[in-house]
Amino acid sequence: MALNAPLDYRAPLVFDTRELGRRPGALRRVSRTVEAPEGLGIEVIGVPVGAPLDVELRLESVMEGVLVTGTVRAPLAGECVRCLEPLAQEVTADFQEMFSYPESEGPARRQADAADEEGDEESLFLQGDLFDLEPVLRDAVVLALPLQPVCREDCPGLCPDCGVQLAQDPDHHHDDAVDIRWAALRDLAGQLRPDGSSAGQDKQAKAPRGRGDDPQET
């Protein structure tokens, strides 16, 4: 991605390479703490806006431009995906990116890129002696975030029936619910005796005969 918009050297994540020079093999180390921009996160966890980002860079001058290798450390805030409790963690992300000299985007370079089957990745370029680290840092941090953050590895989560935190009530349980389709069968089973007879049958057997049922004398 070419940097078309003019860069502001005062921006927190814009770095100047003038002191590095263009002699291949020249090295320079830079450390900087800046405030986190927006959007450094995913739905369940991320770096709070304004939180301190500790950035350590190794700038190396090469033939094509400046090779930037670095590490960023930042605090995280989010919630446990199992119990939904707030959690605080820290992320450390490593990255490496080449910022090419503007003149390296000549006809020969474009021809070489066209022949490269892996040319899907867009290139980053220096603007004068400046480069903007924010897009590189943003990708590195987001890719390093846990997709399923938990407050602890053995977090039991929530009760699926009532939502109680199982960590606070380890003995929590519910009686097994009976499927309504089997409720009538359960009631019938409760009325049956071991011999297979039911209380209803006893009542019928003991019921007094009516007058119409008396045997006729012959």
Side-chain angles (χ1 to χ4, degrees), residues 75-88:
L76 297 176
E79 63 180 24
C80 175
V81 296
R82 296 179 186 172
C83 67
L84 305 182
E85 281 293 293
L87 56 82

Side-chain angles (χ1 to χ4, degrees), residues 129-145:
D129 296 304
L130 304 176
F131 68 87
D132 185 5
L133 189 66
E134 181 172 340
V136 176
L137 186 146
R138 184 181 300 277
D139 290 345
V141 170
V142 172
L143 290 175
L145 295 176

Side-chain angles (χ1 to χ4, degrees), residues 7 14-19 21-22 59 66 101-102 126-131:
L7 295 180
V14 171
F15 293 82
D16 194 334
T17 65
R18 282 178 295 180
E19 295 183 9
R22 293 197 175 188
L59 311 181
V66 177
Y101 296 128
L126 291 167
Q127 189 177 104
D129 296 304
L130 304 176
F131 68 87

Side-chain angles (χ1 to χ4, degrees), residues 190-201:
Q191 297 176 6
L192 292 177
R193 295 180 176 179
D195 60 359
S197 62
S198 66
Q201 292 176 339

Side-chain angles (χ1 to χ4, degrees), residues 209-215:
R209 294 181 178 181
R211 292 183 179 179
D213 296 333
D214 293 338

